Amino acid sequence: MLFPWKKVEIDKLSYLECRYQKSGDLNYVQLTGDTKGKVNNNLDPIEVCKIQDQRPTEGFASRLSGQNTAFPLTNTVIPPTGEFNIGIIPIDFPDSAATQSVDELMSGHIKDVDDWLEFTTDGVTKYTWHMPQDWLRMPLESSFYKFGKQNIASDGSYVTVEEQLQSTEEMTSQIFSAAEAFMNLDEIDYFWIVLQPTVKHVDWTVNGWHLPVLTSSGIHHLTFYSLANVLWNQQTQQAPMYGILLHEMLHAHGATQHAPGNEYAMHVGNSIGSVMGAWDSFILGWRPDEAFACLDANNLTEKEITLTPLDHNEPGYKAAIVKLSEKEVVVIESRRKGPFSHKWIDGAAFVTAYAVDSSKLGLRFDGDNSRVKDYFSYYLEINEPHIEGMDLGQPLANMNGPDAENFSVRHIAFQGDIFEYGGIEIEVINQADTDTVRISKRN
């Protein structure tokens, strides 16, 4: 009897692995560990696939556009590449003293972030961390550092729905005045204000980009985010902490994220697939242009592209990008269990494809699957459903939280499966150590 993901060793160099194929069929695939991709000739120039950002630049709609969804990269708080100083400001309170050392709490997460950056950017982006050894005691009780809540009204104005006990200016002044005894504030590119994690009634404290902050040494323009109850809870319910930290800092680097909307559990900071999506890494310049195979649908007849897994660091094409128009592309990725898709089951192997429309706003998906195509990016579905109840390990194992409700096995393709979109057909024709897709123009 065949069991999904079962391995049978042939010799020291190869083994068989039982994998799903089209429509849920199981079959053994021989693997050798050779994941070097093949280089294709006669591809279109990579500049062809760098579609331009065509979102509104003025008015209320532009305020909701997120960060960058296409080229050129313009909307950043800190550049995407280079060496950056990251400040950790650990705070506790007279009514809630920390019971764990700062180093014990944060050092593992910091190492994970550094490892992820090295894996993802091949060293083009690096962080240097600055962190005091001890917790910084705030002058007031913890409730005075709870951030008020605001909603955006239809006219674009902000409406306060929960008041703060002291102003944002007072909170930031107290926090950063304590921190400047341990670090030069003006040399830090991004700060994390870390509340000791047993403070459950403070969901958020202050956040800001280039916000003016007054301390005893003067006014500083600082960028910072808070690690408080909401994010501490997400660590156990949804994502690993390194993914949460990276997700917020990636916004500052210019990545919109939160997409593809109907399954953004696949990418960093959301649930279990904590790698950088190929399109985001393309925009940010975190992978070289040679890592992407570019095809113009206008010139396309048929092309076979071998993809190396996005979750591994072997050379080769990490994505095939098909330009459909001046505002739309389809991005095709190979996925495997890897060091940062750590919760996926052994043997997880599949292909995904998602559309990107650079004229649509970079909004966060609201969970309504009936309108996923309203978003700037969403996963495509295969043209024939898999068998109901097939044991995919969900198929990635341990998926929970809101992303599990939006997950569909129709978003992933096995050998023989086909995506059809925008006049092109994408068929997975071979799956072993790498994935080969045939991309062709439909009549």
Side-chain angles (χ1 to χ4, degrees), residues 145 167-178 193 206-207 211-215 224:
Y145 299 89
S167 69
T168 298
E169 291 76 14
E170 290 171 317
M171 282 190 274
T172 55
S173 180
Q174 293 160 18
I175 292 169
F176 286 98
S177 290
I193 300 171
V206 286
N207 306 307
L211 197 70
V213 174
L214 177 63
T215 70
F224 49 93

Side-chain angles (χ1 to χ4, degrees), residues 1-19:
M1 183 176 180
L2 296 177
F3 294 95
W5 324 123
K6 180 181 178 181
K7 294 182 179 181
V8 178
E9 185 174 327
I10 299 175
D11 52 40
K12 293 182 178 180
L13 298 178
S14 63
Y15 60 93
L16 299 177
E17 184 170 81
C18 185
R19 289 185 180 176

